[in-house]
Amino acid sequence: GVTLTSYTFGPQLSLPIHRVTPFGRILVGGAYESAGDSAAFAANLGGGLDLRLDRRWSLRLFEADYYLTHFANPVNSHQNNLRLGTGLVFGF
């Protein structure tokens, strides 16, 4: 099997409006894949919407990220991915 591990860092901008909080982020860093034992540039660009349930908990209604990596390959040496998510958010 192939394992892909990524580490990205960067700013996230949130704008609380009553009980909902839209957010956006730009993250850059690196990725490592085990099959070719190689490392490459990685970036995430995306955002989403949270619904506050109480003081500490929110429901992530949706999250969508464009996920880019630059591993060498015979075609164009970059991979374009879409990451979608939902879930619970705990704030502290």
Side-chain angles (χ1 to χ4, degrees):
V2 177
T3 301
L4 176 66
T5 306
S6 63
Y7 45 93
T8 54
F9 308 91
Q12 175 173 304
L13 177 64
S14 300
L15 181 63
I17 305 169
H18 301 289
R19 291 186 58 201
V20 296
T21 304
F23 64 91
R25 63 176 157 238
I26 299 173
L27 309 174
V28 295
Y32 171 80
E33 63 93 8
S34 62
D37 195 27
S38 62
F41 172 79
N44 292 318
L45 172 64
L49 184 66
D50 291 343
L51 174 66
R52 191 178 71 238
L53 301 175
D54 66 20
R55 195 172 57 111
R56 295 209 184 261
W57 291 94
S58 295
L59 177 63
R60 178 138 303 158
L61 300 174
F62 74 90
E63 176 181 6
D65 287 318
Y66 168 65
Y67 177 49
L68 170 72
T69 55
H70 276 280
F71 288 106
N73 66 44
V75 179
N76 59 15
S77 295
H78 71 271
Q79 299 76 41
N80 300 299
N81 300 287
L82 176 64
R83 183 173 58 184
L84 302 173
T86 187
L88 289 173
V89 178
F90 177 74
F92 55 92

